[in-house]
Amino acid sequence: MRLLPRTLAGRIVFTTVAVALVSAVVAGAVSLGLVRAASLGDARSEASTLADQLAALPQNQLEQRVNAQTSGSGEPKVALINTNGTVTGSIGVVLRPKVRQRLEQGSTLSTTVELGGRRFIVEARQAIDGGTVVVARSLNSVDAAVSRVAGQLLIALAVGLAVAIGSGILLARVVSRPLSRTAAAARRLAKGDRNVELPHTATVEVSDVVNALDELDDALTVSEARQREFLLSISHDLRTPLTALRGYAEALADGVVGAEDARDVGSTMLTETRRLDRFVADLLELARLEAHDFAAELTPVDIAGVMAEAAAAWRAVASSGGVELRTDVHPGVIANTDAHRLRQIVDGLLENALRATPSGGVVAVEASTLSRADGGSRVAVTVSDSGAGLTAEDRDTAFVRGALHDKYRQTRAVGTGLGLSIAQRLTARLGGTLTAVDTTGTPWGASFRLELPGADGQEPVRAGDAA
């Protein structure tokens, strides 16, 4: 059984009413206790004062006052126990012998007794001329006064409870209204609406939610714009080889291509097919990187071995393009990483560098160990080229999918526009960082620095495991 309402407004009203009800019950109980205690104190004080006054009177005046004192159901009741044991006064008939003996044993008595099924506050004093003055006050009269006060108190508490309920309803509406409007705006964002007007409020917590949704709206707008641009760019790049393939395929089907041209046509179609394969492979790699179950096995890896293998694999490509490929790897550089994924990152950086470097240029790979203040280490791998280079703006957007590709596709040799984004995501999965380095004042046009956690004191895997 659900105790609390499902809505925030309902819970606010429920909590307000519950707190007000508990407060009213506690306040009522405490107040009634205090009122009863105060009433008893007043009644006892009144009886004690009257007893003192009567005890100070001479015998004849005392008897007159006792006889003139209110009788019957009036309060308080007064009696005089004479020295000979006789009793005069309105409560003489209910003063049993046992009670009389208790009163005769001392000159002063202050107690509560039960007489005839009724409880009395009793104050007794020794009179100056002998005998004992007794003043009694029935607790029924005290209870009646408390009941009257209790009725008035209950009315006041009921009014307070009603006010609390009304306040709770008003508070619930004030608090829940902006949240309901914010939820409606969030649903519009989820459906694809952008630049949604959000309700602003002075409540700090609700304002934080609104500001967060506002930031999310802006981020989604930017992200979706980039995605659209990226998809348009990919669509264009995919259409180019597909158009070439389709054209040559139609020419072959129509018999336009002669036997002497078949070899060239086949070579062109193979090249375009490889371009398509590269696009698809990059897109699949991005999808795998964004999956939660992406696998990376971190072990101590000998960086020199991985760099040597990468350099050997790309040296022929560099030579065919007239580019010098240099390596400078310090011995004993060990990183805690995944050898296969590290090789994948370095291959991507080398491919970009060789594509951007003209004939006669240089591509350099460096690796070294960096000490940290806490005694640990990090491994730095830098790939630099003497190509056209990157501006400061280019460095800020280098890892945004397709950003450099869209900017330089008409002026430079570019790839799919996904390589650097893939490299950075891979690096993050390995616990490292990949940054575009400022090359101002250096002979390099572009330089990318990869930093990975070191593997201090651990045995590295064999270099051949990186393949």
Side-chain angles (χ1 to χ4, degrees):
M1 180 178 179
R2 182 182 294 275
L3 179 61
L4 291 176
R6 295 178 61 89
T7 64
L8 176 62
R11 292 190 175 196
I12 291 175
V13 174
F14 178 85
T15 303
T16 303
V17 172
V19 171
L21 184 60
V22 171
S23 300
V25 171
V26 173
V30 173
S31 299
L32 285 176
L34 293 175
V35 169
R36 180 173 176 78
S39 298
L40 286 174
D42 290 343
R44 188 173 295 278
S45 177
E46 179 184 354
S48 176
T49 301
L50 180 58
D52 290 338
Q53 292 175 352
L54 293 176
L57 295 176
Q59 183 69 23
N60 59 341
Q61 294 183 19
L62 176 58
E63 292 179 353
Q64 293 177 1
R65 288 286 302 272
V66 169
N67 291 326
Q69 190 66 30
T70 304
S71 61
S73 60
E75 296 287 347
K77 299 180 183 299
V78 178
L80 173 61
I81 302 176
N82 299 308
T83 54
N84 59 5
T86 61
V87 179
T88 304
S90 59
I91 60 172
V93 294
V94 295
L95 285 175
R96 296 178 181 178
K98 185 175 181 180
V99 176
R100 298 176 191 173
Q101 293 173 4
R102 288 180 57 191
L103 296 176
E104 291 173 352
Q105 291 174 358
S107 61
T108 301
L109 177 65
S110 178
T111 187
T112 301
V113 298
E114 184 173 348
L115 301 173
R118 298 171 62 188
R119 299 182 70 225
F120 290 85
I121 296 172
V122 176
E123 294 288 334
R125 302 289 187 273
Q126 187 70 45
I128 59 174
D129 291 337
T132 303
V133 177
V134 180
V135 178
R137 178 75 182 267
S138 173
L139 290 182
N140 290 341
S141 62
V142 175
D143 292 338
V146 172
S147 298
R148 289 192 297 272
V149 174
Q152 297 173 352
L153 183 62
L154 287 176
I155 294 175
L157 291 177
V159 172
L161 184 61
V163 172
I165 294 174
S167 301
I169 295 174
L170 180 61
L171 176 63
R173 290 181 178 178
V174 171
V175 172
S176 62
R177 184 180 295 113
L179 284 176
S180 299
R181 293 173 59 192
T182 302
R187 294 189 188 97
R188 290 179 57 191
L189 287 175
K191 291 179 180 179
D193 292 348
R194 296 295 173 260
N195 298 320
V196 176
E197 183 178 354
L198 296 170
H200 292 280
T201 176
T203 305
V204 175
E205 291 79 4
V206 178
S207 181
D208 288 342
V209 174
V210 171
N211 292 336
L213 284 176
D214 216 352
E215 293 173 2
L216 176 62
D217 190 3
D218 294 340
L220 287 174
T221 301
V222 173
S223 176
E224 291 174 354
R226 287 177 177 174
Q227 288 182 9
R228 283 192 294 270
E229 293 175 1
F230 171 71
L231 290 174
L232 289 173
S233 174
I234 288 294
S235 299
H236 179 274
D237 289 329
L238 288 173
R239 189 179 292 112
T240 300
L242 283 173
T243 301
L245 287 172
R246 179 178 179 179
Y248 281 116
E250 290 175 349
L252 288 171
D254 294 339
V256 176
V257 178
E260 67 279 4
D261 297 324
R263 184 182 181 88
D264 292 338
V265 170
S267 177
T268 301
M269 293 180 71
L270 180 60
T271 300
E272 297 303 313
T273 301
R274 287 173 176 167
R275 287 184 61 194
L276 284 174
D277 182 67
R278 178 61 187 275
F279 274 120
V280 173
D282 283 351
L283 290 172
L284 289 175
E285 188 64 35
L286 274 178
R288 282 194 292 268
L289 283 169
E290 292 174 353
H292 294 292
D293 57 352
F294 178 84
E297 184 178 354
L298 303 182
T299 57
V301 174
D302 180 8
I303 299 300
V306 177
M307 296 302 107
E309 289 181 351
W314 289 96
R315 201 171 300 281
V317 177
S319 298
S320 65
V323 177
E324 179 185 358
L325 180 57
R326 301 175 184 172
T327 58
D328 181 12
V329 181
H330 295 184
V333 178
I334 310 298
N336 188 41
T337 187
D338 185 310
H340 172 70
R341 297 299 182 183
L342 173 60
R343 174 65 188 277
Q344 188 177 352
I345 296 170
V346 174
D347 285 345
L349 295 177
L350 283 173
E351 182 184 12
N352 276 346
L354 290 171
R355 182 172 54 245
T357 305
S359 179
V362 178
V363 171
V365 180
E366 299 177 359
S368 60
T369 302
L370 306 175
S371 298
R372 297 189 311 190
D374 60 2
S377 66
R378 286 182 72 82
V379 171
V381 177
T382 305
V383 177
S384 306
D385 65 73
S386 59
L390 302 175
T391 65
E393 181 183 356
D394 292 342
R395 292 193 297 274
D396 292 337
T397 59
F399 303 103
V400 177
R401 288 179 292 186
L404 298 182
H405 175 272
D406 294 340
K407 182 176 181 178
Y408 293 113
R409 62 191 301 174
Q410 303 297 332
T411 58
R412 300 182 189 176
V414 295
T416 63
L418 304 176
L420 288 176
S421 177
I422 292 174
Q424 188 186 51
R425 289 169 182 261
L426 273 172
T427 302
R429 287 300 185 100
L430 298 179
T433 58
L434 179 61
T435 56
V437 181
D438 184 1
T439 57
T440 303
T442 71
W444 307 116
S447 182
F448 292 90
R449 182 186 183 91
L450 167 66
E451 289 193 16
L452 297 168
D456 305 312
Q458 301 185 54
E459 292 296 325
V461 298
R462 292 178 293 111
D465 292 343

